[in-house]
Amino acid sequence: GMTELKKWQWHGKNGHYVVKRLKTTVSRAKMEKLRKAAEKWFGTPYDLKFQWSDRRMYCSEYVWKLYKRVLGIELATPAEFKDFDFSKLAVRKKLKERFGTDFPANEPVVSPVQLFQSKLLKTVYVKRHL
């Protein structure tokens, strides 16, 4: 479902968020295609297991797939699940809860940090909580 920006911003630290967009200009027609594709996927269940299928999607996967499929742009190179840092106890506990012993080590994954650091995007707005 959709979450209002005023609620969503508090999912992060102190309501801080950053808005980014492509450095290159995209035609109105392509932006309309992107919007229509995004609307088509509204209501797709959230993927707590970070699988690379369209049946369920997590946030950064949704964005990555939209840009790749509609505009042919890879905002970041997908990593493998095993490449992420799982050293924190809370993270390992959550992984065990979700996967048990069936850890998807070779599953492609795109993280929010990868998108944030994309060299194809520029920052256009920063909201800081005072």
Side-chain angles (χ1 to χ4, degrees):
M2 276 231 255
T3 304
E4 288 181 32
L5 179 60
K6 287 183 180 186
K7 285 184 180 179
W8 174 84
Q9 76 184 42
W10 294 105
H11 292 188
K13 189 174 182 178
N14 297 325
H16 172 81
Y17 65 90
V18 175
V19 177
K20 294 193 172 230
R21 73 169 45 130
L22 287 171
K23 289 179 180 177
T24 57
T25 304
V26 177
S27 72
R28 255 184 219 259
K30 285 186 177 182
M31 286 307 294
E32 184 60 20
K33 280 185 179 181
L34 194 65
R35 187 186 64 74
K36 284 183 179 178
E39 283 180 355
K40 181 180 169 189
W41 284 347
F42 275 179
T44 300
Y46 192 81
D47 188 0
L48 291 171
K49 291 192 172 183
F50 305 103
Q51 296 173 330
W52 199 253
S53 75
D54 292 353
R55 195 170 53 80
R56 294 179 169 274
M57 282 191 242
Y58 53 94
C59 52
S60 48
E61 175 190 11
Y62 179 87
V63 171
W64 189 93
K65 285 181 175 179
L66 281 171
Y67 277 82
K68 174 66 174 169
R69 292 179 183 172
V70 178
L71 302 179
I73 296 170
E74 282 192 25
L75 294 175
T77 302
E80 289 186 336
F81 208 78
K82 67 183 176 198
D83 296 331
F84 290 91
D85 179 9
F86 302 117
S87 60
K88 292 185 177 159
L89 182 60
V91 173
R92 289 197 315 269
K93 184 179 177 185
K94 190 57 78 175
L95 287 174
K96 186 165 179 61
E97 208 176 272
R98 290 186 187 176
F99 300 105
T101 58
D102 192 25
F103 181 74
N106 298 318
E107 191 77 24
V109 178
V110 175
S111 73
V113 170
Q114 287 176 287
L115 295 183
F116 184 83
Q117 293 174 343
S118 174
K119 296 190 182 326
L120 301 177
L121 301 175
K122 64 182 176 183
T123 299
V124 295
Y125 181 76
V126 177
K127 167 70 169 153
R128 297 192 196 288
H129 187 269
L130 300 174

